[in-house]
Amino acid sequence: MTGTPKKVYLDYNATSPIINEIADLYSNGELFFGNPSSIHFAGRHSRSLVNSCRRSLAKFLSAKEENIFFTSGATEANALIINGIVSSGTVESVLCTSIEHPSVLDNVPSKNHLKVLPNGQIDLENLEHVLQKYSSRVLVSLMFANNETGIIQPIKETADLVHKYNGLIFSDAAQAFGRLSFDINSLGLDFISISAHKFGGPQGVGALISREIVDFNPLYAGGGQERFKRAGTENTQGILGLKIALEKLPKYYNSEEIDKLRIRFEEKLLQKRPDAVIFGDGIERLPNTTCIALPGISSETQVIRLDLEGYAVSAGSACSSGKISPSHVLLSMGVDDKIAKCAIRVSMGPETKWEELEGFLEIWSNF
């Protein structure tokens, strides 16, 4: 009789395990926060915690404190800037690439979806052609690194091109933040969004960060929180968790070591299954992400069989109600539909061990 298989988590791009210091904070039974808008001692204490996180995040990104707006995560932040900047009249329209996260794609008309090259990066020549058609300012949304393939976009080059035509650029940086070192000023990014749960923080908290003061409307009315841009009582517990995760990042996430692990993993993978396809091979990617297809074996079959063996991986975005369908990212890259239907994503984290990856390969290579 076989026992329960060991659980191995390889889905860090969906969410990362909360770091121990935050888990301890949440489980000690002594958490009490006042409303940050209240003027009494409990409210003032909560306000100081929120503001301390704002300061830490501003310093981390070389941004300004007053340009940081806390949200429930990147999905809300994405909707906030995309819808709010159009309704305010600051821009005429929003453009985005066809490989964006659904929280961006679903907020931008399909006619405004931009082409990407077969390597998964934005087609800058096509972008310039599109920008030339607009007489008014537009916002271009380009994710920093793709959540499915890990492919990193040419952010600086795109920002320079967008600014050449007096446009603004926004980047969903949920996957890149904490895994790649950057600041919004040197890259010329006008806005970015982040989610705490992608880098060891709690779920349900994130932020929209603006490089300069640019007018945009809130998604809804109801309060003056976050300088009237995001109504509702701030999630003080979540924001404090974000701050702790931010402080622990240098020790928690070693990109160089994880990158070495991924490279070794991919080399071994191709040795065992030469017929496998690694998407983005040869292109700069996130240190932790491998998107692979095993021709003839559907994504769903792979995910289920691996789950039964105790391995957690995914197929496509985790924000798709559990549906497994051909990746819109891979299809946008021109990948054949039959191959796209056989793709899964392995995303590693600080806790991932080589022995776990070896175990994965032993099972997966025999499919």
Side-chain angles (χ1 to χ4, degrees):
M1 181 177 178
T2 59
T4 303
K6 177 187 175 182
K7 304 299 183 184
V8 177
Y9 188 73
L10 296 172
D11 201 17
Y12 279 77
N13 283 13
T15 194
S16 61
I18 196 166
I19 64 174
N20 293 333
E21 288 83 353
I22 301 173
D24 292 342
L25 177 70
Y26 287 176
S27 63
N28 66 14
E30 298 177 2
L31 280 181
F32 170 76
F33 296 102
N35 189 315
S37 297
S38 298
I39 61 173
H40 49 61
F41 68 92
R44 293 196 304 274
H45 175 63
S46 290
R47 173 56 53 191
S48 70
L49 292 174
V50 171
N51 287 339
S52 68
C53 180
R54 208 184 305 274
R55 285 192 296 273
S56 296
L57 192 51
K59 182 179 180 181
F60 193 89
L61 285 167
S62 300
K64 298 175 181 177
E65 293 178 40
E66 61 268 27
N67 293 340
I68 292 174
F69 307 91
F70 290 116
T71 66
S72 62
T75 290
E76 182 189 352
N78 296 348
L80 173 58
I81 190 59
I82 290 171
N83 293 289
I85 203 166
V86 173
S87 64
S88 69
T90 300
V91 301
E92 174 189 347
S93 188
V94 178
L95 309 173
C96 75
T97 67
S98 56
I99 59 168
E100 300 293 313
H101 187 275
S103 61
V104 170
L105 279 177
D106 293 347
N107 281 289
V108 178
S110 58
K111 65 182 180 67
N112 291 353
H113 293 180
L114 300 164
K115 295 178 182 178
V116 296
L117 300 169
N119 67 7
Q121 294 184 322
I122 186 171
D123 185 335
L124 291 175
E125 185 175 327
N126 175 68
L127 172 61
E128 182 159 27
H129 177 71
V130 173
L131 289 173
Q132 289 171 344
K133 296 179 180 179
Y134 286 89
S135 57
S136 301
R137 174 177 270 190
V138 300
L139 174 72
V140 174
S141 180
L142 175 64
M143 66 191 333
F144 205 116
N146 189 263
N147 53 301
E148 295 185 26
T149 64
I151 293 170
I152 297 170
Q153 297 296 323
I155 296 295
K156 182 66 167 62
E157 294 88 339
T158 306
D160 289 344
L161 179 58
V162 171
H163 292 152
K164 174 183 173 182
Y165 290 92
N166 194 37
L168 296 170
I169 182 168
F170 159 66
S171 186
D172 175 349
Q175 296 295 340
F177 187 83
R179 296 170 182 166
L180 302 174
S181 178
F182 67 92
D183 73 75
I184 59 177
N185 294 302
S186 63
L187 291 175
L189 286 169
D190 296 300
F191 309 94
I192 69 166
S193 61
I194 66 169
S195 278
H197 73 99
K198 302 295 188 182
F199 55 94
Q203 297 175 355
V205 63
L208 172 69
I209 299 97
S210 173
R211 183 161 57 100
E212 299 292 345
I213 297 176
V214 178
D215 187 39
F216 61 91
N217 289 336
L219 281 174
Y220 49 84
Q225 292 87 353
E226 298 305 294
R227 290 169 299 292
F228 291 91
K229 298 302 185 185
R230 202 270 185 176
T233 302
E234 291 95 340
N235 177 7
T236 308
Q237 293 183 18
I239 292 170
L240 177 59
L242 188 157
K243 180 176 184 288
I244 294 172
L246 196 63
E247 292 171 343
K248 299 296 180 182
L249 258 179
K251 292 184 178 180
Y252 173 72
Y253 203 94
N254 188 323
S255 295
E256 185 176 337
E257 290 303 314
I258 294 175
D259 193 45
K260 289 179 181 177
L261 195 65
R262 176 185 61 82
I263 292 171
R264 184 182 179 188
F265 169 70
E266 292 179 356
E267 290 174 347
K268 190 75 171 179
L269 182 154
L270 291 176
Q271 288 175 11
K272 285 181 169 288
R273 290 300 298 256
D275 57 330
V277 179
I278 299 177
F279 300 103
D281 191 25
I283 299 295
E284 187 179 11
R285 281 179 286 149
L286 290 172
N288 75 318
T289 306
T290 300
C291 183
I292 45 175
L294 200 54
I297 310 294
S298 73
S299 306
E300 186 172 17
T301 296
Q302 293 180 64
V303 171
I304 292 174
R305 288 177 66 177
L306 285 165
D307 180 55
L308 292 173
E309 296 287 348
Y311 290 84
V313 300
S314 67
S317 170
C319 303
S320 303
S321 302
K323 299 176 183 177
I324 295 183
S325 55
S327 163
H328 74 278
V329 174
L330 299 181
L331 295 178
S332 294
M333 291 167 59
V335 175
D336 184 89
D337 180 80
K338 292 181 180 179
I339 298 297
K341 287 180 178 179
C342 298
I344 63 171
R345 179 189 68 196
V346 176
S347 50
M348 309 164 197
E351 293 87 358
T352 305
K353 304 292 188 297
W354 172 246
E355 292 73 22
E356 296 173 334
L357 296 175
E358 279 190 310
F360 166 91
L361 289 172
E362 189 63 33
I363 295 167
W364 178 83
S365 63
N366 286 308
F367 285 175

